[in-house]
Amino acid sequence: MKIEKEQLQQISEWIANQKINFFDTWGRMNKKPLYYDIQCEMVDHIASDIESLMMKEELSFEQAFSVVQRKWSVNELKKLEVAKNKAMRSKYNGKYFEGLKTILLSPKIFLFALIGFVIYKLLMIDEYWFSEVKFTISLSILFFGLFLILVNMYQTHKINGKRHQFLLNGLSYRIIAVQTGFTGIATNMLMNYFIEPMNFFNTDAYNFHSNSIKLSIILTLMLIHISIVYFVVHKSLKKDLKQYVQFYS
């Protein structure tokens, strides 16, 4: 038995009115509707469930809808959104590793090797320039991460405008924030662990050459990382959101 247009609208309104619990940016408990793309998927899924019950159990639409409403409680809808959230995060983490594999197995790796060599030469000019290069590149990576988060948020808002909020809207800048935040944390941890600090007391024993090599490798790896985040993950998120807007509009 086929569901009528008015009944489909009734399902859509019910889904739109369901509110799930979530923690906001400040850790406060709040309620929000499901993301619009999940709402659309659930309307189709619930309509299919109702049609199946109406045929197999010979129920009316109202009876079948009541059964399905009990099946898809707020808790079940929240579990569905969480599962979709995890799947989408996994998708873009996968894109990151695909981008890393592409760089490592392509001629681009020689370009990064050349950049690493240039950084090494800059570090080897003298001990004061070593500190300047270390500080400048580390700070540049940090500011790039913050800049990319803001650019991603701006472009996400520009693409979506005042349309419905999709799951990708909520995830996009968080994915970028995690990956760029990892850049800053990893860079500082590696430098603190592998690079011997230079001070007045160990000037004579300080291995300038060895530390320059290690620091140039670390900084080159971080440059590879932020290149993948921008040219692969960020670009992919932007493209996919445009497709979401076109598909669900």
Side-chain angles (χ1 to χ4, degrees):
M1 190 177 292
K2 192 72 174 176
I3 287 182
E4 297 177 359
K5 185 177 180 180
E6 293 76 12
Q7 294 170 332
L8 199 62
Q9 182 63 32
Q10 188 177 340
I11 296 170
S12 179
E13 289 175 358
W14 178 76
I15 286 292
N17 289 326
Q18 300 307 298
K19 302 289 176 66
I20 64 172
N21 294 325
F22 80 107
F23 289 101
D24 63 17
T25 306
W26 309 107
R28 298 170 298 190
M29 179 67 77
N30 213 329
K31 289 183 178 289
K32 72 172 185 66
L34 295 167
Y35 286 107
Y36 186 67
D37 46 329
I38 296 179
Q39 289 185 34
C40 293
E41 289 181 24
M42 285 307 303
V43 169
D44 292 339
H45 189 72
I46 288 174
S48 178
D49 283 354
I50 291 173
E51 287 178 347
S52 179
L53 285 170
M54 290 170 70
M55 291 180 63
K56 293 179 180 178
E57 306 293 334
E58 296 183 354
L59 301 177
S60 66
F61 170 78
E62 288 74 17
Q63 291 172 323
F65 191 20
S66 179
V67 172
V68 173
Q69 283 176 319
R70 291 194 295 272
K71 174 185 175 183
W72 288 104
S73 64
V74 171
N75 286 336
E76 291 300 316
L77 292 172
K78 183 176 181 179
K79 288 179 184 177
L80 174 69
E81 186 168 290
V82 169
K84 292 278 187 181
N85 188 307
K86 288 181 179 179
M88 197 162 284
R89 285 179 184 273
S90 178
K91 171 185 175 182
Y92 291 102
N93 286 334
K95 285 185 178 293
Y96 172 85
F97 288 108
E98 287 176 12
L100 178 61
K101 182 180 177 181
T102 299
I103 287 178
L104 294 177
L105 299 179
S106 72
K108 293 176 183 177
I109 192 63
F110 295 106
L111 173 61
F112 284 103
L114 179 60
I115 292 172
F117 181 74
V118 171
I119 293 173
Y120 164 74
K121 285 294 186 182
L122 290 173
L123 292 169
M124 285 294 291
I125 292 175
D126 59 49
E127 62 271 18
Y128 300 106
W129 190 237
F130 179 95
S131 299
E132 290 293 328
V133 171
K134 179 181 176 181
F135 174 78
T136 302
I137 295 181
S138 299
L139 197 63
S140 298
I141 290 173
L142 173 63
F143 278 116
F144 175 83
L146 295 173
F147 169 76
L148 186 52
I149 292 169
L150 293 175
V151 166
N152 184 265
M153 292 176 69
Y154 168 76
Q155 291 184 342
T156 296
H157 178 74
K158 185 177 179 181
I159 292 168
N160 196 62
K162 296 182 179 179
R163 299 180 181 89
H164 300 286
Q165 291 295 304
F166 305 112
L167 177 58
L168 198 57
N169 286 109
L171 272 181
S172 186
Y173 83 91
R174 289 186 177 91
I175 291 171
I176 296 298
V178 169
Q179 293 186 350
T180 52
F182 170 79
T183 307
I185 294 170
T187 302
N188 282 286
M189 285 183 65
L190 288 171
M191 285 195 296
N192 291 335
Y193 185 79
F194 289 107
I195 308 301
E196 180 187 355
M198 180 171 57
N199 54 56
F200 177 79
F201 301 101
N202 70 342
T203 305
D204 294 333
Y206 187 79
N207 193 330
F208 191 51
H209 180 262
S210 172
N211 282 286
S212 296
I213 292 175
K214 288 187 286 186
L215 183 55
S216 64
I217 291 172
I218 290 172
L219 294 177
T220 303
L221 290 174
M222 291 304 103
L223 287 172
I224 291 173
H225 171 75
I226 60 175
S227 297
I228 296 169
V229 173
Y230 180 75
F231 291 107
V232 178
V233 181
H234 170 69
K235 296 283 188 181
S236 181
L237 283 164
K238 184 179 173 181
K239 177 183 176 183
D240 289 350
L241 185 57
K242 286 182 178 179
Q243 292 177 346
Y244 262 60
V245 171
Q246 291 173 0
F247 182 78
Y248 289 104
S249 297

